[in-house]
Amino acid sequence: DQQVKQNSPSLSVQEGRISILNCDYTNSMFDYFLWYKKYPAEGPTFLISISSIKDKNEDGRFTVFLNKSAKHLSLHIVPSQPGDSAVYFCAASAYTPQGGSEKLVFGKGTKLTVNP
Amino acid sequence: DTEVTQTPKHLVMGMTNKKSLKCEQHMGHRAMYWYKQKAKKPPELMFVYSYEKLSINESVPSRFSPECPNSSLLNLHLHALQPEDSALYLCASSQDRRRGRDVIYGYTFGSGTRLTVV
């Protein structure tokens, strides 16, 4: 059973427009959410994250929105640039009091293509 | 230093070989992880080390053997692998979130080792 879902395998937008990538989760114990960007054969690069006590976090062109009641989050990229073309993974974590480590659960990813 | 460094970047090994993947970070992170990623799939957790002790093994076959010599290093020893073990192996490290539960914290991945088993 997928706990983190990215239902759109791909998204194509024009340069300068807004890209909106969506993510849904089922586990109500998740309290931290992260977005990663990934190019083929490279490791995921951290973009932005949000704690469950917040509903919005912004960093430059990237904004993440969290709707806890709907168990939904979204990543907005404004304005989109061709260099943003990559696979974007949503990941979630549930804090556990022991050990200080956290297990990330990833969605399947959305391939974003920004056309010039 | 804000990076997780993995070596080698590429590795081709036979099914009877023994090899090791290495991972290093100097961010003071006390949790380190091995993930495996197959093509067009999300990363999947293999092992977690917390404060240099193995805390999670996600039912990984014994032909994969992790080792954490100190708080900055993480190894993955490989022996008698199968062709289906070919994948991108990712190392990650994270801060202890207890130190700042609501603070944006770091969970950083290395660039991975592309492993091919022939």
Side-chain angles (χ1 to χ4, degrees):
Chain A
D1 181 32
Q2 259 189 290
Q3 297 186 67
V4 178
K5 300 177 186 178
Q6 292 177 257
N7 291 320
S8 298
S10 63
L11 174 68
S12 183
V13 300
Q14 283 299 119
E15 181 178 5
R17 299 290 191 101
I18 184 171
S19 295
I20 300 176
L21 296 100
N22 293 304
C23 178
D24 297 290
Y25 62 96
T26 57
N27 187 342
S28 57
M29 297 301 292
F30 288 146
D31 64 346
Y32 210 91
F33 304 90
L34 306 92
W35 284 94
Y36 288 88
K37 174 181 179 180
K38 190 176 184 304
Y39 296 111
E42 292 185 10
T45 301
F46 171 75
L47 279 176
I48 193 168
S49 61
I50 189 166
S51 162
S52 60
I53 65 166
K54 300 186 186 298
D55 54 19
K56 177 182 174 181
N57 185 31
E58 191 172 354
D59 183 3
R61 297 186 297 114
F62 302 93
T63 303
V64 57
F65 295 93
L66 175 62
N67 182 333
K68 277 200 307 184
S69 60
K71 293 192 176 69
H72 176 84
L73 61 154
S74 61
L75 173 68
H76 292 212
I77 306 173
V78 181
S80 301
Q81 300 173 352
D84 296 328
S85 298
V87 177
Y88 288 76
F89 286 99
C90 170
S93 172
Y95 177 75
T96 55
Q98 32 176 271
S101 63
E102 305 205 32
K103 173 179 173 178
L104 286 188
V105 179
F106 284 85
K108 290 188 173 182
T110 296
K111 183 177 181 181
L112 173 66
T113 303
V114 180
N115 301 303
Chain B
D1 187 352
T2 58
E3 290 188 349
V4 174
T5 303
Q6 288 187 246
T7 55
K9 292 197 182 303
H10 301 276
L11 178 63
V12 179
M13 61 185 289
M15 289 189 282
T16 57
N17 291 159
K18 285 186 182 180
K19 296 285 185 185
S20 297
L21 309 185
K22 298 187 182 301
C23 174
E24 190 168 357
Q25 58 88 16
H26 298 285
M27 295 178 279
H29 290 177
R30 302 312 298 267
M32 296 186 75
Y33 311 79
W34 282 113
Y35 284 80
K36 174 181 177 179
Q37 185 174 24
K38 303 279 273 184
K40 302 191 185 209
K41 300 281 189 184
E44 293 182 352
L45 184 68
M46 299 174 72
F47 301 104
V48 181
Y49 272 83
S50 178
Y51 291 84
E52 301 164 46
K53 294 191 189 316
L54 182 66
S55 60
I56 296 177
N57 176 342
E58 292 284 301
S59 302
V60 180
S62 59
R63 57 187 184 268
F64 295 91
S65 174
E67 178 197 18
C68 188
N70 60 55
S71 61
S72 299
L73 294 174
L74 186 66
N75 299 322
L76 185 63
H77 302 299
L78 314 172
H79 174 53
L81 295 194
Q82 304 295 312
E84 59 264 29
D85 296 321
S86 299
L88 181 67
Y89 288 84
L90 295 163
C91 174
S93 69
S94 70
Q95 295 167 295
D96 181 348
R97 195 155 36 121
R98 287 178 294 178
R99 297 191 186 280
R101 183 146 183 212
D102 303 323
V103 173
I104 303 296
Y105 79 112
Y107 200 118
T108 307
F109 283 83
S111 57
T113 294
R114 171 66 61 186
L115 174 68
T116 304
V117 182
V118 297

